[in-house]
Amino acid sequence: MSSMPLMIDLNDKQIVIVGGGKVATRRATTLVEYCSYVHIVSPTITSELQNLLENGHLTWSKKQFEPQDIKHAYLVVIATNQSDVNDYVKASLSYGTLLNHAADAKAGDVTFPSILKRGRLTISVSTNGASPKLGSQIISTLNDMYNDNYETYIEFLYQSRQYIKELTIEPSRKQRLLQQIVSDEYLDEDKQLEFMRWLQSQAEDKGSCDI
């Protein structure tokens, strides 16, 4: 059965990565973008992980894995190249703890998709283990389609939606306004500013005017 895509808030959750090599580095680099507590358990770590450590993005236990290391973890990432250690970590999981097994996706219940992020916009692609390289290629294509301008545009859509929700106009009129700004012309920042000024004037006038 295919995995179901979900968006999960990890901000206040404890994430433990067992391993300090290249795979652990990739996982940590992704996770620190979304959560405030990422902990590494490994005798050694890469220079990239060291940089994240020094910048306060994660913590590190310089040691071999022990079961207590993941006692309170919400998500555990197994990222070592030692099968016996990997098996030991999995056997030590508490009931209900989420697991990402980097070497054996089917052994866990969480996978990491390829991700494109533009501010509030997140696009993820997964091939359910068939070809992570294809997922990366698709993200590369999407990267050209949804360039850096989309970060500003998505923020504009968010702010506009907050204003529109507060307008004292018919729900159908609100829906037309929301549909109106989901068009290429509003990728232009001048057009965004013009619409925001109009929305602000509508808020002041109780939504009585037309654009």
Side-chain angles (χ1 to χ4, degrees):
M1 185 176 293
S2 298
S3 298
M4 178 179 176
L6 294 172
M7 302 290 284
I8 301 178
D9 183 359
L10 295 176
N11 189 50
D12 295 319
K13 305 296 191 299
Q14 294 189 21
I15 315 300
V16 178
I17 301 175
V18 182
K22 292 181 179 179
V23 176
T25 300
R26 290 199 298 270
R27 293 291 189 264
T29 301
T30 298
L31 286 165
V32 296
E33 295 290 327
Y34 298 94
C35 47
S36 55
Y37 184 93
V38 177
H39 186 68
I40 304 289
V41 179
S42 177
T44 61
I45 58 175
T46 63
S47 58
E48 292 89 346
L49 288 174
Q50 184 67 43
N51 288 335
L52 290 174
L53 175 68
E54 292 173 356
N55 287 311
H57 295 302
L58 52 78
T59 55
W60 175 31
S61 290
K62 187 177 181 179
K63 60 189 285 293
Q64 298 289 345
F65 169 78
E66 297 176 285
Q68 61 264 30
D69 295 325
I70 59 173
K71 184 177 181 181
H72 301 293
Y74 179 81
L75 167 65
V76 172
V77 176
I78 298 176
T80 85
N81 58 4
Q82 302 174 58
S83 59
D84 56 335
V85 174
N86 295 345
D87 292 343
Y88 186 29
V89 175
K90 184 179 179 182
S92 303
L93 288 174
S94 299
Y95 178 77
T97 301
L98 297 175
L99 172 65
N100 170 250
H101 197 310
D104 183 7
K106 292 182 179 179
D109 40 28
V110 174
T111 58
F112 281 64
S114 299
I115 297 172
L116 171 66
K117 199 167 186 296
R118 294 284 185 261
R120 293 179 182 272
L121 174 65
T122 300
I123 301 174
S124 63
V125 176
S126 172
T127 61
N128 278 303
S131 177
K133 290 186 180 299
L134 175 60
S136 296
Q137 289 179 13
I138 293 173
I139 286 293
S140 180
T141 300
L142 292 172
N143 185 65
D144 295 332
M145 294 175 59
Y146 298 96
N147 58 32
D148 291 340
N149 292 336
Y150 270 83
E151 182 167 348
T152 302
Y153 176 53
I154 296 298
E155 186 61 30
F156 157 73
L157 292 178
Y158 173 77
Q159 296 295 338
S160 296
R161 185 168 182 265
Q162 307 316 304
Y163 274 109
I164 290 171
K165 284 164 58 178
E166 296 301 319
L167 293 179
T168 54
I169 58 177
E170 292 296 319
S172 59
R173 174 61 170 153
K174 292 183 180 182
Q175 291 302 314
R176 287 197 297 271
L177 289 173
L178 291 170
Q179 184 61 47
Q180 174 184 326
I181 56 178
V182 185
S183 63
D184 288 346
E185 67 174 310
Y186 284 95
L187 287 170
D188 181 86
E189 291 191 26
D190 289 336
K191 192 71 174 178
Q192 294 172 21
L193 290 172
E194 178 186 343
F195 188 78
M196 288 299 296
R197 285 195 293 267
W198 177 81
L199 280 179
Q200 290 166 359
S201 69
Q202 292 298 283
E204 294 171 358
D205 296 337
K206 306 299 182 182
S208 58
C209 301
D210 292 326
I211 188 170

